[in-house]
Amino acid sequence: HKRRMSMSFVYVVEDGSKMSIDGGCLKITYKSGEVSKMPKETVEAISIFGNSQMSTQCTKFCLEKGIRVSYFSKNGSYFGCLLSTGHVNIKRLKKQIFLSEDKDFCVKLSKKIIQAKINNQLVVVKRYLRNSNIDESDNLFQISNARKKVIEAESVEQIMGYEGTASRYYFKILSDLVETDFKFSGRNRRPPKDPFNSLLSLGYTLVMYELYGELESHGLNPFAGFLHQDRENHPTLASDMMEEWRAVLVDSVVMSLIQGHEISIDEFYYDEETGACLLKKDGMKIFLSKMEKKLHSEAKYLSYINERMSFRKAIWHQVRMLSRTVDLGDVEQYKPITIR
């Protein structure tokens, strides 16, 4: 269905849509009068972009079943979510806050996360460089060098410094790899100023708030991180968990869309007030569909699991492992997501 990318994750991008429960179905009535229905038992999460409505009965159903409803602006900025309180685990929460103040624990966990992130960046760019004739040996060396330095770092600040260095050279390679229309100079955000960064920002937001929901449902607080510094209204723990996924999920989807000519430069517009580069509605649908396909795709890429697993299930697995790490206060329990 053009507005429903999967059996269980529902994206509503048409303004003025109305969601209700009709017997055993979740019913979406669009402004045009068109209706789509899906068995309500198959719904796992709902993401609403722009202005749409949900009946009280539908809201109650989502709260009872623990279905996360996330609200975004039509451009993909996150507003908040509807979530029941059935997941609260005060014992785990106290342990998490205690460990977030433990410097040694934070440094050890941060090293694992950032080494995995840089490893994944290297795997992704090398994959794209195989079919290209540009020489990026200097930039690749700088990324590898930053990864080595992470191992020797003594503080979270140092680790983040090396992470910043690796990312700078990594994005330089990505920019060299994309065609003229999508060329960009480095990562920029709040707001993104070019089409490439616009796609990255939207993808990171989607994955971040999928992680946010998983963390909450595992009784962890998304705002008490180990790697990122506390910042008002910023879910630092979701940011921590996100690092391993950036290149694997979002950057690779963006590169694939651009290199496969699946999205055109005409799908973007600039907001005069903020200078932000944003996606038009059809471009948003193309991106959400591609992202959802990626999250559903299966790969055997986790070194410590023998089964094929979808990326979405791997996110759940990663958060479950973090819960165990917190419960036991033992960094060795955490195995980061690394691709080969």
Side-chain angles (χ1 to χ4, degrees):
H1 193 282
K2 66 182 175 183
R3 293 189 186 89
R4 196 181 106 219
M5 280 74 183
S6 78
M7 277 297 286
S8 50
F9 276 69
V10 181
Y11 295 90
V12 182
V13 293
E14 304 278 351
D15 263 354
S17 303
K18 291 183 178 164
M19 275 161 287
S20 57
I21 297 294
D22 185 4
C25 292
L26 171 71
K27 176 175 147 187
I28 305 176
T29 308
Y30 302 102
K31 211 154 67 169
S32 62
E34 196 187 333
V35 169
S36 73
K37 289 184 179 183
M38 63 211 77
K40 65 184 188 186
E41 299 306 329
T42 66
V43 178
E44 260 178 74
I46 300 169
S47 293
I48 299 168
F49 293 81
N51 299 314
S52 288
Q53 293 173 0
M54 191 180 255
S55 72
T56 307
Q57 193 190 3
C58 190
T59 303
K60 275 193 278 306
F61 171 74
C62 291
L63 287 169
E64 273 167 18
K65 299 289 178 192
I67 294 165
R68 191 173 77 257
V69 182
S70 302
Y71 296 91
F72 298 87
S73 72
K74 66 172 189 283
N75 301 318
S77 295
Y78 181 75
F79 290 135
C81 66
L82 175 73
L83 202 69
S84 79
T85 52
H87 55 274
V88 175
N89 179 337
I90 194 65
K91 208 172 160 189
R92 182 173 288 166
L93 192 52
K94 283 180 174 176
K95 199 84 199 270
Q96 179 192 347
I97 304 292
F98 170 74
L99 288 168
S100 73
E101 301 289 331
D102 180 332
K103 188 187 169 217
D104 187 51
F105 181 90
C106 290
V107 168
K108 283 178 179 164
L109 185 61
S110 299
K111 278 186 184 183
K112 283 192 161 195
I113 290 171
I114 296 304
Q115 274 179 270
K117 176 186 184 172
I118 299 174
N119 166 78
N120 296 344
Q121 288 177 328
L122 279 167
V123 172
V124 166
V125 286
K126 283 177 179 172
R127 210 177 275 167
Y128 286 106
L129 284 169
R130 261 183 238 143
N131 309 317
S132 132
N133 53 10
I134 50 178
D135 176 20
E136 295 286 352
S137 48
D138 284 354
N139 290 327
L140 287 169
F141 170 78
Q142 295 288 358
I143 299 170
S144 298
N145 196 37
R147 182 174 57 175
K148 279 189 199 123
K149 287 182 173 171
V150 167
I151 303 165
E152 296 150 23
E154 286 169 15
S155 69
V156 171
E157 290 70 31
Q158 280 183 341
I159 294 166
M160 291 309 277
Y162 298 134
E163 180 275 329
T165 302
S167 286
R168 204 164 56 248
Y169 290 105
Y170 165 75
F171 282 117
K172 191 175 182 328
I173 298 176
L174 286 189
S175 180
D176 291 346
L177 282 163
V178 295
E179 291 158 27
T180 334
D181 279 349
F182 285 93
K183 279 259 181 279
F184 65 101
S185 61
R187 176 80 182 110
N188 58 67
R189 50 190 159 313
R190 289 196 289 272
K193 303 210 169 42
D194 56 75
F196 196 96
N197 275 291
S198 181
L199 292 172
L200 287 180
S201 288
L202 178 58
Y204 294 156
T205 300
L206 291 173
V207 176
M208 164 100 85
Y209 289 101
E210 183 137 341
L211 279 159
Y212 183 109
E214 267 326 317
L215 289 164
E216 286 214 320
S217 64
H218 280 78
L220 290 160
N221 186 315
F223 293 87
F226 303 104
L227 164 66
H228 290 90
Q229 296 302 300
D230 290 346
R231 208 166 84 219
E232 205 173 332
N233 295 331
H234 183 73
T236 48
L237 185 60
S239 281
D240 292 356
M241 294 293 94
M242 169 88 178
E243 294 298 353
E244 297 154 41
W245 289 116
R246 287 178 188 268
V248 181
L249 285 177
V250 182
D251 306 355
S252 58
V253 159
V254 172
M255 288 297 285
S256 173
L257 278 171
I258 292 168
Q259 291 197 324
H261 305 288
E262 293 172 55
I263 198 159
S264 107
I265 206 75
D266 303 332
E267 294 296 349
F268 297 85
Y269 71 97
Y270 287 87
D271 181 290
E272 283 177 23
E273 226 171 281
T274 62
C277 178
L278 302 166
L279 264 177
K280 294 175 186 170
K281 191 169 72 181
D282 285 348
M284 177 76 89
K285 287 182 183 177
I286 292 166
F287 184 77
L288 289 174
S289 176
K290 183 85 174 177
M291 199 70 209
E292 189 57 29
K293 211 169 164 185
K294 180 79 175 181
L295 283 160
H296 267 281
S297 64
E298 292 189 350
K300 186 173 176 291
Y301 54 91
L302 298 174
S303 49
Y304 50 90
I305 290 175
N306 291 322
E307 58 177 296
R308 286 176 72 79
M309 187 186 274
S310 74
F311 284 108
R312 182 165 270 136
K313 191 175 173 192
I315 286 175
W316 172 83
H317 190 88
Q318 178 199 24
V319 174
R320 195 177 65 161
M321 200 163 35
L322 180 71
S323 308
R324 187 174 163 76
T325 304
V326 167
D327 288 348
L328 299 173
D330 176 14
V331 177
E332 293 316 306
Q333 298 293 325
Y334 189 75
K335 307 275 190 299
I337 305 296
T338 51
I339 53 170
R340 296 186 279 269

